[in-house]
Every structure is written in structure tokens, then in C-alpha cells.
Amino acid sequence: MASLHQFLPSIFLFIFIIKGNSLPKYPPPSFSCGDGVDFAYPFWQRSQKPNHFGYTSLGVTCINKTPTIELDNNHLYRVKSVNNSENSFVVSFYELGDTTCPVALHDVINNSSFLTYSNNVKLVNFFYNCTVYPSGVEPIKCLQVGARHSYVFLDGSVPKFDWKTNCDSLVTIPMSIESSITTDFGKGMKQGFELKWSTSVECASCEASSGFCVYDNEQMFSCSCGKGGRYENCHERGSVSSKFKWGLLSIGLLICCVIIGVTILYIVKKRKDGIYKRGFNRLPTGGK
């Protein structure tokens, strides 16, 4: 019979897997990075991985006490404020710095199904370092470099011109517009833009039953109802999340395979040792 130490790797693997799939602390805790912006569910701290409450897209990373969030293509944005009663938050470009004449380094693309821009947010188009440009159009004076001009227009108000051919880059970003876009774009970029979140489709049933969405390191969804276990929603606590069922089945199969593999290796090793010993006993011991 195999000794205990032969199964230690399997036991440690089992403990690791169970720990990795344990539920986070209930209820979802509020938190802050230290700059005065307070976060609550559905936001979550990325340091809480592998398991966390909240929507996957609303993970917050604290960088030098500054809360940041990834909205598109791994670009970081600074979270300036959160209004939980209105389901809204304001973000700005993280890399702007203190300049009064900032440059938008990349487009802002909102591909989220539950995040929308607030009504006061407009899309703005920047055309940087244009070598040829139409006459009678006001450029951004602080970004002029020699004969190269840069321009900014509200989406839908771009003059007809071959901007793509004659400018180095074209960038589109959302912005809250309060006055002249040409002279106050720097202020608008620093103020940022407001996003509103709606209930995630996957979490709708869970939240409607007063539960909280939980995701694990495999991004498997489940509903936490405060008394342990993972469910589709809190009205059906006897029905464990189907995704989690498959996760548990996979874990169980993996553990069984490891134990069987270790057992087979142990038996093969014991048989080889027995054959070797019998062969050794039949060796000649010498004669007179």
C-alpha cells in the first residue's frame, strides 16, 4: 500500500485549488486608494484576485494612492470621482501631467455593454501636426510647431478635408464640453468625462435577488448570498451555478487523475524494485 508521503503532492494541489476558489469576504467591502475617492460594489480592487466581488471591467488599481481603471486596450485612466447613487464615475487620461496644453495619445474606445457616456459628454476629434490644412480654420495655437498645425473639432463638425493624408495622427476622445473647444480643450481633458454603468446582464438575476456577483480566477460567475456557496441567484440557493458546477467537476477530475497517476507510478516503482531484488538474489555467490 502506498505511503502517505506519496500522496502529498496531490494533497497540496487539492488545498491550493480549494483555496483559489474560496469566496471573498462578504459583504463586498468599500475601499479607497487614499486620495479621497471611495469605491463600493460593483468596483473592486485588483489586488483582491483571484476571487472578487464586482464587475470584471470595473477593477481598480491603486498607483501611488491614485485610483486607476482600464477601459480599453489596457489603457489606464484616473478615476476622479464616483457617484454610487447615480451609477456614474468620472475618469481622465492618466498620463496628462500638469501641462495646460495636453495631447491625447490614443483614442478612447468604449466597447463595454454596460458602460455609456453621460448626456453632457461629446466626442471630440484631434488632428495633430498637419503639414497642409484648409484656410480659415482656427488651429490650436499652443500646439503649433513651425509650419505644423493641430486642430480640434466636435464630432460631426469636422470640415471636409483630407485630414488623414495631411496630418500625423487623428485621435477621437470623449469630453465634457462647457465652452470653446479650441481654447478650453486642455481644461476639458483634465476634467475628464463621465460614464454611467448599468447592471451587467450576467449579474441581473443575482442582483435582483439581493445577491452580489463574484468572479474567480477563471472568470467563472456565481452569485454570493452571504451564507456561503455559489448560486445562479439568491432565490434559488439550492441551484449551484452551472459554470461553477463544471469548475468543481474539472477540479475533481484533475485531483483523481493526479492521485491515480501517483498510485500507478508507486506500483510500477515497487514492482521494479521487487524484480531487481529477485534478480540480485539469483546471482552466483562464488564457489570453492
Side-chain angles (χ1 to χ4, degrees), residues 22-30 41 44 48 51-54 212-214 224-228 230:
S22 60
L23 288 168
K25 183 180 178 181
Y26 185 96
S30 59
Y41 179 91
W44 58 282
Q48 291 177 346
N51 300 321
H52 64 83
F53 286 106
F212 296 98
C213 286
V214 177
S224 176
C225 304
K227 294 185 179 180
R230 295 172 182 261

Side-chain angles (χ1 to χ4, degrees), residues 79-152:
V79 183
K80 303 192 69 175
S81 63
V82 177
N83 187 334
N84 284 291
S85 62
E86 297 291 335
N87 283 14
S88 65
F89 62 104
V90 175
V91 298
S92 64
F93 283 89
Y94 177 70
E95 61 279 312
L96 281 183
D98 296 326
T99 177
T100 57
C101 192
V103 173
L105 301 179
H106 55 78
D107 293 330
V108 177
I109 303 173
N110 179 22
N111 292 323
S112 174
S113 60
F114 65 91
L115 289 178
T116 57
Y117 297 123
S118 297
N119 293 333
N120 67 331
V121 174
K122 306 295 181 182
L123 292 181
V124 175
N125 300 282
F126 287 91
F127 302 90
Y128 292 115
N129 294 327
C130 304
T131 54
V132 180
Y133 29 81
S135 60
V137 180
E138 183 182 5
I140 301 174
K141 293 181 181 179
C142 64
L143 291 178
Q144 183 173 343
V145 180
R148 293 176 176 268
H149 289 185
S150 296
Y151 297 85
V152 58

